[in-house]
Amino acid sequence: MPHLLEVANLTTEFHTRAGIVKAVNGVNLFIDPGETLGIVGESGSGKSVTALSILRLLPTPPASITGNQILYQNQDILKLNEKQLRALRGGKISMIFQDPMTSLNPVYTVGFQIAESVRLHMNLGRKEAIDRAIDMLDKVGIPSAAKRINSYPHEFSGGMRQRVMIAIALSCNPELLIADEPTTALDVTIQAQILELMKGLTHEFHTAVMLITHDMGVVAGSTQRVVVMYAGSIVESATTTQLFAMPAHQYTKALLRSIPRLDDEDGKRLEPITGQPPDLLHLPKGCPFAARCPKAQQQCKESVPALTEVQPGQFAACFYPF
């Protein structure tokens, strides 16, 4: 069965006065229909830029997006014109952005903003689009949906605004949903509600999900496969079960050690990742994680390890995995 989305050798650079920032460096990944893929890593690892590059939402210049191909249902997104891209965005592939307050237009009602997408991609009339908007607000758990469609974004709480973003993203039954940090700045209870809501709705619509997060706990309960990014590159890729049972890359292990666990003994301190990520303007000669890695050898400082299969279904860019 062909992949729903396949990205081959994606590279995104930003041309600045200080030099060329290599934000995404040769990324290869795929998503199958109905699958949830987690992309994790520290801030600045290239997660969001990868997502924005897939939909070609970055301004060019200063961004420069290259790659062998970004295949979506045998269409190469890198070769689409602006009209074809508009039909793809929101219709076939939707995106939930990090901050709903800045993503929603403050001068339009939430009903208008949902209906606008529906009318554009589903060719419905005004009344049918409003009915669809009410139905979607109801599905995402907004009470009195028929009245709240006339409300403005500032009249909603943070959690409700995030629900509105999910309603907009899923209103046209997309086949792929890219969720960029959908639970950022929400308290733990609302986070759980939003994740459960997304899980239920994507199952109902049979939508594949690319879930971008820095929270390994979110990944553990919401995904089938995980891609770990560091300094613009993929350093590990595995099923979620494999990744948590036996992480292969030292960076993945460091991420897991830095989060609290219910089965940890009382009084055990979390272990922060020492050092800082490399400067993307001046990437090191060898492995980008070598300066922070407890197992680094001379080879790691001189050569960049390729992403290779270390056990069936698990890949790591490391000379000394496990």
Side-chain angles (χ1 to χ4, degrees), residues 23 25 28 39 93 107 117 137-138 140 182 188 201 210 218 221 256 313 317:
N25 198 2
N28 296 278
I39 300 184
I93 304 176
V107 302
S117 179
L137 283 183
D138 188 55
V140 298
V188 177
L201 287 174
M210 180 189 289
V218 168
L256 290 171

Side-chain angles (χ1 to χ4, degrees), residues 92-118:
K92 299 294 185 181
I93 304 176
S94 285
M95 186 165 181
I96 301 172
F97 297 93
Q98 283 193 33
D99 185 358
M101 194 60 205
T102 56
S103 301
L104 293 169
N105 193 319
V107 302
Y108 292 112
T109 64
V110 297
F112 176 86
Q113 293 183 64
I114 300 172
E116 180 185 36
S117 179
V118 171

